[in-house]
Amino acid sequence: MTAVAGLRWQWITENGEEPTSVDRADFVRHFTAWAAEHASSHRCTVLVRDSAVIGMAWLAIVRRVPTPYAPDRASGDLQCVYIVPEARDAGLGGRLIDAVLSTARDLGLERVTVHSSPRAIPAYARGGFESSPRLLHAHVGRATEFR
């Protein structure tokens, strides 16, 4: 998880943000503790090349309200798909997406959603994701500081 935390930090800094409320070591400690606490609801899949973690994807599992037909329902949300820049455009993102969807099928999830950057939409479409006029979202805030 330390390597995965490093990827998450790299992703943020790659997008031009430099965290000021926490240093990297504190973030890594927080991230690894968070991952351990949420292991039952958040599954991480990684790509490894030459013993280095070069990619990650998270499947957040959300329990759904039961119905008389399905008393134990769950859906997934694909989160934090990231490949290091030097390994991009080689189909690795697609492999991560496929692996996460395979995990979702194994878990019996009803569906998996994803919030994508415009650049990644084609990769998700190749993986079987479709646009839906019924899936809506509301922005209710953004975490602005490390807690």
Side-chain angles (χ1 to χ4, degrees):
M1 258 325 118
T2 300
V4 174
L7 289 181
R8 188 66 173 136
W9 183 274
Q10 180 178 336
W11 180 356
I12 297 300
T13 59
E14 179 184 320
N15 287 316
E17 298 178 46
E18 194 60 43
T20 57
S21 62
V22 64
D23 68 20
R24 183 181 172 116
D26 286 341
F27 173 74
V28 169
R29 279 190 292 280
H30 173 79
F31 187 99
T32 55
W34 178 91
E37 290 171 15
H38 294 87
S40 65
S41 64
H42 290 73
R43 307 281 178 97
C44 183
T45 301
V46 297
L47 284 171
V48 178
R49 178 184 288 157
D50 299 327
S51 73
V53 177
I54 62 166
M56 68 175 172
W58 289 80
L59 176 64
I61 301 162
V62 179
R63 297 287 165 204
R64 304 204 50 205
V65 176
T67 72
Y69 307 106
D72 188 23
R73 302 171 63 209
S75 293
D77 187 48
L78 179 55
Q79 301 177 349
C80 298
V81 178
Y82 178 78
I83 307 289
V84 295
E86 58 273 15
R88 291 182 188 154
D89 300 319
L92 298 177
R95 289 178 58 190
L96 272 175
I97 292 166
D98 290 346
V100 169
L101 293 178
S102 178
T103 298
R105 280 189 288 280
D106 292 347
L107 293 171
L109 302 186
E110 292 179 6
R111 68 175 160 255
V112 175
T113 58
V114 66
H115 181 251
S116 179
S117 68
R119 181 183 189 278
I121 290 172
Y124 293 117
R126 285 188 301 274
F129 284 84
E130 301 172 347
S131 181
S132 170
R134 295 179 9 175
L135 182 60
L136 308 172
H137 70 276
H139 292 278
V140 295
R142 177 183 169 154
T144 56
E145 50 185 317
F146 181 76
R147 298 174 206 252

